[in-house]
Each structure stands twice: as structure tokens, then as C-alpha cells.
Amino acid sequence: MLVEPLTDGPSLSPSFADRAQGLRGWLSSSMANEEDDPVVQEIDVYLAKSLAEKLYLFQYPVRPASMTYDDIPHLSAKIKPKQQKVELEMAIDTLNPNYCRSKGEQIALNVDGACADETSTYSSKLMDKQTFCSSQTTSNTSRYAAALYRQGELHLTPLHGILQLRPSFSYLDKADAKHREREAANEAGDSSQDEAEDDVKQITVRFSRPESEQARQRRVQSYEFLQKKHAEEPWVHLHYYGLRDSRSEHERQYLLCSGSSGVENTELVKSPSEYLMMLMPPSQEEEKDKPVAPSNVLSMAQLRTLPLADQIKILMKNVKVMPFANLMSLLGPSIDSVAVLRGIQKVAMLVQGNWVVKSDILYPKDSSSPHSGVPAEVLCRGRDFVMWKFTQSRWVVRKEVATVTKLCAEDVKDFLEHMAVVRINRGWEFILPYDGEFIKKHPDVVQRQHMLWTGIQAKLEKVYSLVKETMPKKPDAQSGPAGLVSGDQRIQVAKTKAQQNHALLERELQRRKEQLRAPAVPPGVRIKEEPVSEEGEEDDEQEAEEEEPMDTSPSGLHSKLANGLPPGRAAGTDSFNGHPPPGCASTPVARELRAFVEATFQRQFVLTLSELKRLFNLHLASLPPGHTLFSGISDRMLQDTVLAAGCKQILVPFPPQTAASPDEQKVFALWESGDMSDQHRQVLLEIFSKNYRVRRNMIQSRLTQECGEDLSKQEVDKVLKDCCVSYGGMWYLKGTVQS
């Protein structure tokens, strides 16, 4: 409405008059535009429902619109209605000059093999068809419809689905499956059926606990369950009719509304406001439009919509161990570091300058262990013990944790996997390096965390009855625990001990040498003694350093020197060509070690040095405390004992790109066991001294050639079972195959 000033009243300000004049001009121009744009035609719109639940729109994104599939023969069609998944099979023009016939024959041969049967994909032994598989473009098709304009009327049919069809390459999967079947058949032909029957494998029987509601929901939302559920829906086979087929023309008539009187189309009889609401509904984010994701997955965009405390908690719960710098980079540059420090201390503890999520965050009050069923309180206490151990050292031994906490091995392994990585023959190392920069930058936070760890330590001492004298007084992230010493620290301990007792040990050495030489010196003859050179001593020390023994001590504190001397010097003489000196085989340690080696090689004819050391450590674990073998066994002593027990080292030619360690490349085999298979075994070992892997037919022909007789299948199987393993149709010496 336009308001004009009164003639007999006070005059309006010039600005208000200008605005009124402008509004008058805008209204007049709008009316002029409407007159210039008259309504040319009114079209009635009808809503057809006959195909509302059956109409799909197919799109072919890898094909230009000018190259349609209308004239290409469609061989078959099928659909899964609930998933809206469609598969079409279309013929390929094999007579086209652009078609490569040799490639088509090769693909058919790879997929179906040489023999064609009813299950063959390509019955003509030629790739003469291709499959198109659909994928949904959108799950909400309520705003899409197919329109048909006929005789001045517009008929709309809602779309039930919009699908994009792309070529499927499932035939390549079939070709790979055929290839694996042929490899398995070859391997089965090489291996013995009797061998498979003789192998007895131990199985573990576990009884499943009743499934909780929370576990059931996680299982139902898992990807594996959804895939299984989708696979259970059966295919519905369809008949395809071309574009110009009479049946297609008949079906297209259903796109027209059956009644044009408007009585049946009450959906279109709406008020202007309702019609506008239907055309432009309010923008709202529906839950079903969100991508399906597991319940424990949260995108970074969703994460940043949460409060800062929840963001920190969710990140720490998922990552479990994180440096403070990484946490700040995930939260974004606009977040205040002081607020993050306040929030992180509520959900995590400081370990070696890094933040580890608190145990009660991972194990809420009413939860329990999925392995043993122990309550959350016990789990939190055990995990706190592991975290506290890492505040004392970089290394933790799982056996020690299990002994103290009395928890099952699976629970302890879960604790350690949260914050550490396993190192062979050394234990579990903390997963992140020491963050000294954070320690220097935030001393107040470090002091507060130290006070918290002091309280946790006191609680652990009380609960686990730990000896207070053995507990470190002050947490030191770089110091090692009392029960575990690294290899470098062992060498330092041995050097220090040897230097401190050098004078005493030299006198003892001279005395023993005089005792050994005394019977061999005639009366009245004096032997001139040459002084021991420093160079010789340095060589002995260097030799001792290179010969690092295995960790055969339960406490891990034994150095690599026996009684402060290298093994050769402690025995009173030097080793001779790598073999034990005369007389040392009569010592209790040597007798026990040789008995172990002989018994082991009688059971397993071929062993690598790495596997032998593993078996020896298991043997030590079964011995009582104080046994003679705990005095320290070096790698050289173990190898010398193996060679002295009638075994030989097989120089297997490993490939240049092998990932085997030096201990895994040292292969020892029992040369003579006293049975009838010694000759066969020796021929087999000679074969592997020149070949890394061998086929069975080569082994059998060589055995027949060397032994001069036709060996039975059982004899060949026995010698192969004793010394070799089969993998991929080839035979390898035990312990040499790299998976």
C-alpha cells in the first residue's frame, strides 16, 4: 500500500518522499512486465500410478548418449527387488572388425577351461557376451518422475529407482578361481594322501557365551552381516522386450493416467500454499539419506560438530595412544591448546610424554572381558599395571604381566596391543618414541601426572602385593625394568664386570694353564713364558662381543660372558676351528646340551638355527630353577654341539630377494640316524644344497638314480615328510619357505 502525504499537514522529509516515489515506480514496472509476458497455454497435469512401484530409470554412464544399447540383443535379465539390483546380459558382436577373436578365445579358455559343460560361462568357447551390473545413484527418488506429454496433457509417473549400469568383470574372478583350482590340484597330486591322513592336528573347543543385546546390534550392523543378508535375497528372472516390441508399446500406455476427469487425481487438487510446499519442501536432513557406516565410525565433519570434550574422548578412545601434537592437528588450528590440555587429562594418562587413554574409558563399569568374562574393574586394574610398567621402561614382558595380574593371555595381549608392539626375543616395546619436547614444554602437567601415577603405584602395590623395594622410586621413561635388560645393556654389564675382575681372572687363567701344562713338562725343563699381548686380549674381547648368546635366563640379566670370561677362555683353552675343545664335552652343561640336541633332531630331522633356538628356549622354560643350562649358552656353542651330534649344515641357496634372517638361513640336518632312510635322506639333502625348491618328480628320479632301485611311494613320502614341506606345488626344506 502506498501512503501519500496530507496536503494540510506538516511536510514529509525529502528522504521519505524519495523512497515512496521509488516504490511507486517499482510497482508500475512489475505490472508492465506481467503484461509483456502473457500466459500462452495452460496444460493439465495428471499423476499416473499404474507403474509407480515398478518404474526404474536406467543410466549408462560409461557410454555416450548417442550410442544406445537399444539394438543390441539382450540375452537375459534379473533383479533383486528389495536391493534394487539389476543384472543384464548383452551379446557382443563377434563379427565386428574391431573384435579381437584371439583375445576372446583366451578369455573364454581362462574362465571355463578346456572342457565345456552346462556351467560354462561362454558355451561357444568365445567371449560373446558381457554382463552389466547396477548400482543405486540415490536412495530417495521422491522428487523424480517420468513425464509423458500427450494431446496437451502432461502425465507424471513417480520413479521407484534410479540405477546406473556398468560392465561387470566377474568373469575375471572366475578365471582366478579356475587358476587356483588348478594349482590346488597340482599340489594335491604332489602331496600324499597317506601323509594327509597321518597328520593329526590339535583342535581347541570353545563354548560360545550367550550373545548380549549390544553384541547382537554390532553384529547386525557389521558389513559381513549386511553382505550375507544381501546374498540371501533370491534373483527374480525377467523377460526383456525391445523398444519397438508390441509388449513394450502396451506397457508404455500405463504411463498415461487412466482417468482424465481429475476426480482420481486428488493429489493435485491442493491449495496454493500446499502445492508450493510440495514443490519446495523444507530442507531437512533425513537419517536414511546418510551413508550407511558402522556404529563405531564417525567422520571428521561430524566429529567437529561435537563439544571439545567429546571430540577428545572419541579420538582417544579410537586411537588409544597419541602425541599431543597429533591431537592438536586433528582438532584443528582454531582450538585453544590450554582447553585441550584440560580435556585430555580427564580421559588419558601421560606415558613417556605421550597420552594413553584411561582404562575406564575403554572398559565401562558394567562391561566385561570378551575373552574371560572378568568384570571391568579387574580389567582396568590390569591395564593400569601395564601402563605403569611403561612409565618405568620402554619394554614390558607379557609373561610377567600375566603372572602379576592373574589375567588370561588374551586379555593381557589386548592391553599390550593398545600401546605397544612386539619384538622377537625382546618383549613388547612402547609404540611411540619418547616425547621430550612435550615434557619440557609443560612441566606443570608432567608434575600433576607424576602425582597421579604415584597414587596408582600405591594402589597397585596393595592390590598385587608387590615388593616395595623392587619398585622404582621415580618413574623414568628411559630406564629399563628390573626384570628385562636389552642386548646393548647386557654387553655393557659384561664389559664392566670383566674390567673390574680382570686381575683376578688373569691369575686364575694362568693357574689353570700351568695345571694343564704340568704333566707334559719333563723334570728339569723350564718353559719360557711369553707375555700376553694387548692385541691378543683385544681380539678375544672383540670375539666375545660378536658371539652374543641367547637369552636363556629367566630374569634376562645374565651377560654374554660365563663367569666374566668368554666361553673358550673360561674352559681353560681356546676353541679349535669353531668346535668345542677337547674335554669340554664332559662338562655337565655340554652333556645336557648335547642330549637336548640329539633328542630334538631325532624328532625333527631338519631345523634352522632360529627354530632350534626357539625350541631351546621352550626347553629352558620347562626346566626347574638353578639348572645347569641356565649358565648361558652362546650361539656358537649351540652350533658346535649340533655339528658334534652327527648333524651337518646344509648350504641352501636362498634367492637374493629373500626376507629370511641370518639365523633362518643356517639350516642343519641329521645326517645319520641309524635307520634305513639315511641314504635317501642324504640324497635329498644334497639336492637341496644346490636348489632352493624342487619338484617331486625331480626328487623321485634322483632317488631312483642314486639308490639304484625303484622306491615305493610310501618310502618317498616318508623322507619328504621328515625333511620337507610342500607349498604351491614345490617342495622346500623345513623352515626355509617364506610365506
Side-chain angles (χ1 to χ4, degrees):
M1 182 177 66
L2 182 62
V3 179
E4 295 186 2
L6 299 175
T7 56
D8 56 352
S11 62
L12 298 175
S13 63
S15 60
F16 183 84
D18 293 341
R19 287 199 297 271
Q21 184 66 27
L23 180 60
R24 186 184 297 110
W26 178 80
L27 288 175
S28 60
S29 62
S30 298
M31 294 174 64
N33 290 336
E34 289 181 0
E35 293 175 358
D36 294 341
D37 189 16
V39 176
V40 177
Q41 184 182 2
E42 292 186 358
I43 301 174
D44 294 333
V45 181
Y46 297 93
L47 182 64
K49 292 186 176 181
S50 301
L51 300 178
E53 300 296 327
K54 303 176 183 178
L55 189 61
Y56 292 89
L57 174 64
F58 286 2
Q59 298 174 340
Y60 298 89
V62 297
R63 186 100 162 187
S66 59
M67 300 175 62
T68 65
Y69 290 98
D70 296 340
D71 298 330
I72 295 179
H74 289 60
L75 304 179
S76 66
K78 54 185 179 180
I79 185 174
K80 289 187 176 183
K82 294 181 180 179
Q83 303 176 41
Q84 295 189 7
K85 185 176 181 180
V86 176
E87 282 191 6
L88 300 178
E89 277 192 359
M90 299 186 190
I92 298 177
D93 185 9
T94 58
L95 302 178
N96 192 292
N98 297 324
Y99 181 81
C100 182
R101 193 174 185 86
S102 61
K103 288 291 184 181
E105 292 175 350
Q106 183 62 44
I107 292 175
L109 180 63
N110 293 341
V111 174
D112 298 328
C115 301
D117 52 15
E118 296 179 355
T119 61
S120 298
T121 304
Y122 305 110
S123 57
S124 62
K125 296 185 178 181
L126 189 69
M127 185 180 177
D128 55 357
K129 60 183 179 181
Q130 62 177 335
T131 303
F132 287 81
C133 189
S134 70
S135 61
Q136 278 187 300
T137 58
T138 178
S139 59
N140 184 11
T141 58
S142 60
R143 299 184 183 183
Y144 300 92
L148 185 64
Y149 184 73
R150 183 74 58 88
Q151 297 177 358
E153 298 174 348
L154 184 64
H155 298 262
L156 300 178
T157 303
L159 288 177
H160 187 59
I162 302 177
L163 306 179
Q164 290 186 347
L165 282 88
R166 293 178 173 84
S168 172
F169 300 97
S170 58
Y171 60 89
L172 296 178
D173 297 334
K174 294 181 181 179
D176 291 341
K178 285 283 185 181
H179 179 68
R180 286 193 294 268
E181 288 177 3
R182 286 193 291 268
E183 282 192 346
N186 294 336
E187 184 177 352
D190 289 340
S191 59
S192 169
Q193 183 179 1
D194 296 337
E195 177 182 344
E197 292 177 354
D198 293 339
D199 290 342
V200 179
K201 295 183 178 180
Q202 181 180 1
I203 61 173
T204 303
V205 180
R206 293 187 178 181
F207 297 94
S208 60
R209 300 173 57 207
E211 188 179 33
S212 63
E213 182 63 23
Q214 186 179 8
R216 190 192 69 81
Q217 291 179 359
R218 286 198 302 267
R219 180 176 59 83
V220 170
Q221 293 177 356
S222 65
Y223 176 78
E224 182 181 0
F225 180 83
L226 293 177
Q227 288 294 101
K228 183 179 179 181
K229 188 176 180 181
H230 289 168
E232 290 175 353
E233 183 181 358
W235 286 102
V236 178
H237 292 271
L238 309 173
H239 294 284
Y240 176 82
Y241 296 95
L243 181 65
R244 301 174 187 84
D245 193 276
S246 58
R247 179 64 184 269
S248 298
E249 184 64 31
H250 176 73
E251 290 292 329
R252 277 196 291 271
Q253 298 300 319
Y254 289 109
L255 295 175
L256 300 175
C257 185
S258 57
S260 302
S261 61
V263 178
E264 298 181 1
N265 292 276
T266 55
E267 287 84 356
L268 299 183
V269 182
K270 302 289 184 181
S271 64
S273 59
E274 292 175 339
Y275 182 62
L276 182 62
M277 185 66 68
M278 292 176 63
L279 288 178
M280 299 292 293
S283 178
Q284 56 183 359
E285 191 175 349
E286 299 181 2
E287 192 68 26
K288 61 181 180 180
D289 290 339
K290 294 181 180 179
V292 178
S295 58
N296 62 336
V297 174
L298 190 67
S299 67
M300 292 301 295
Q302 293 173 327
L303 182 68
R304 288 189 172 129
T305 61
L306 301 176
L308 180 60
D310 293 339
Q311 293 184 44
I312 297 173
K313 181 177 180 180
I314 292 173
L315 285 173
M316 291 306 304
K317 187 175 181 180
N318 283 274
V319 182
K320 297 180 177 61
V321 183
M322 191 186 306
F324 186 74
N326 289 12
L327 179 62
M328 290 299 300
S329 64
L330 290 174
L331 294 175
S334 61
I335 303 299
D336 183 20
S337 61
V338 178
V340 176
L341 275 175
R342 285 198 298 265
I344 189 66
Q345 295 183 68
K346 297 178 182 178
V347 297
M349 297 291 292
L350 190 65
V351 178
Q352 300 191 21
N354 302 281
W355 291 99
V356 182
V357 64
K358 288 184 177 180
S359 302
D360 54 0
I361 301 295
L362 295 179
Y363 303 106
K365 187 175 182 180
D366 298 329
S367 63
S368 60
S369 168
H371 306 294
S372 58
V374 299
E377 182 182 359
V378 180
L379 293 176
C380 292
R381 198 161 53 229
R383 188 174 180 274
D384 287 344
F385 177 75
V386 174
M387 293 170 61
W388 174 81
K389 290 290 290 182
F390 277 120
T391 63
Q392 313 300 312
S393 170
R394 293 281 306 170
W395 300 89
V396 166
V397 180
R398 185 172 72 169
K399 188 175 181 181
E400 177 187 354
V401 176
T403 303
V404 174
T405 61
K406 302 295 189 296
L407 292 172
C408 69
E410 289 81 4
D411 288 334
V412 176
K413 186 178 180 182
D414 284 349
F415 299 158
L416 292 169
E417 285 179 343
H418 290 169
M419 62 192 84
V421 290
V422 65
R423 306 294 186 195
I424 305 289
N425 295 332
R426 298 189 71 179
W428 290 77
E429 183 183 13
F430 193 69
I431 194 170
L432 294 178
Y434 181 79
D435 193 353
E437 183 179 353
F438 180 85
I439 299 293
K440 296 177 182 178
K441 192 174 181 180
H442 303 281
D444 53 338
V445 176
V446 175
Q447 181 63 24
R448 194 178 304 114
Q449 290 290 311
H450 173 57
M451 294 173 62
L452 291 175
W453 278 120
T454 304
I456 294 176
Q457 175 180 341
K459 181 180 177 182
L460 294 174
E461 290 177 3
K462 182 178 180 181
V463 173
Y464 293 130
S465 301
L466 300 177
V467 181
K468 197 164 186 178
E469 287 74 9
T470 62
M471 306 274 285
K473 297 181 180 179
K474 191 175 182 180
D476 185 5
Q478 301 299 328
S479 62
L484 184 66
V485 180
S486 65
D488 295 338
Q489 290 173 327
R490 292 174 191 158
I491 293 175
Q492 289 298 121
V493 171
K495 285 183 177 180
T496 304
K497 185 176 180 181
Q499 291 173 0
Q500 292 175 352
N501 301 317
H502 184 270
L504 178 63
L505 295 175
E506 283 295 332
R507 287 196 297 270
E508 180 68 18
L509 177 61
Q510 293 295 333
R511 187 182 63 80
R512 291 188 181 185
K513 285 184 177 181
E514 291 174 0
Q515 290 178 354
L516 290 173
R517 289 197 298 264
V521 179
V525 179
R526 182 182 178 187
I527 298 177
K528 182 180 179 181
E529 295 184 0
E530 295 291 340
V532 181
S533 65
E534 296 181 358
E535 182 179 358
E537 293 180 1
E538 293 177 357
D539 293 341
D540 290 342
E541 291 182 2
Q542 182 177 1
E543 179 182 356
E545 290 178 9
E546 293 176 354
E547 184 181 340
E548 182 180 353
M550 296 178 295
D551 185 10
T552 58
S553 170
S555 63
L557 290 174
H558 291 285
S559 69
K560 67 187 180 67
L561 304 176
N563 297 324
L565 284 172
R569 294 177 63 181
T573 182
D574 297 331
S575 61
F576 182 63
N577 292 333
H579 293 279
C584 73
S586 60
T587 62
V589 175
R591 288 196 300 269
E592 289 288 342
L593 184 59
R594 177 154 183 167
F596 161 75
V597 169
E598 290 177 348
T600 302
F601 276 93
Q602 285 294 337
R603 295 191 304 269
Q604 305 184 36
F605 294 90
V606 177
L607 287 171
T608 63
L609 180 59
S610 175
E611 178 65 13
L612 182 61
K613 289 163 65 176
R614 188 186 70 84
L615 295 175
F616 184 64
N617 285 330
L618 293 177
H619 177 65
L620 288 179
S622 64
L623 297 177
H627 196 273
T628 56
L629 287 180
F630 286 117
S631 59
I633 305 298
S634 67
D635 288 359
R636 177 177 295 181
M637 185 184 300
L638 184 62
Q639 295 179 63
D640 292 343
T641 305
V642 170
L643 296 175
C647 301
K648 287 190 176 182
Q649 183 174 358
I650 311 301
L651 302 178
V652 179
F654 283 83
Q657 67 276 13
T658 182
S661 63
D663 285 352
E664 292 175 341
Q665 296 186 29
K666 293 182 180 179
V667 184
F668 298 92
L670 182 62
W671 195 253
E672 294 181 358
S673 63
D675 58 8
M676 300 296 294
S677 301
D678 282 348
Q679 184 182 3
H680 304 158
R681 192 182 309 110
Q682 292 169 9
V683 173
L684 179 67
L685 296 174
E686 289 178 357
I687 294 174
F688 280 102
S689 65
K690 300 178 181 179
N691 302 276
Y692 174 61
R693 57 180 184 177
V694 189
R695 290 195 176 274
R696 180 190 175 96
N697 54 5
M698 177 182 175
I699 296 174
Q700 190 154 1
S701 61
R702 181 70 180 276
L703 287 173
T704 304
Q705 178 182 354
E706 295 292 336
C707 299
E709 56 184 3
D710 292 335
L711 299 178
S712 63
K713 186 174 182 295
Q714 288 76 13
E715 291 175 330
V716 177
D717 290 342
K718 181 181 185 303
V719 70
L720 287 175
K721 182 179 178 181
D722 290 343
C723 304
C724 304
V725 292
S726 175
Y727 182 78
M730 305 294 289
W731 287 88
Y732 303 78
L733 277 185
K734 289 182 177 179
T736 62
V737 61
Q738 300 296 316
S739 59

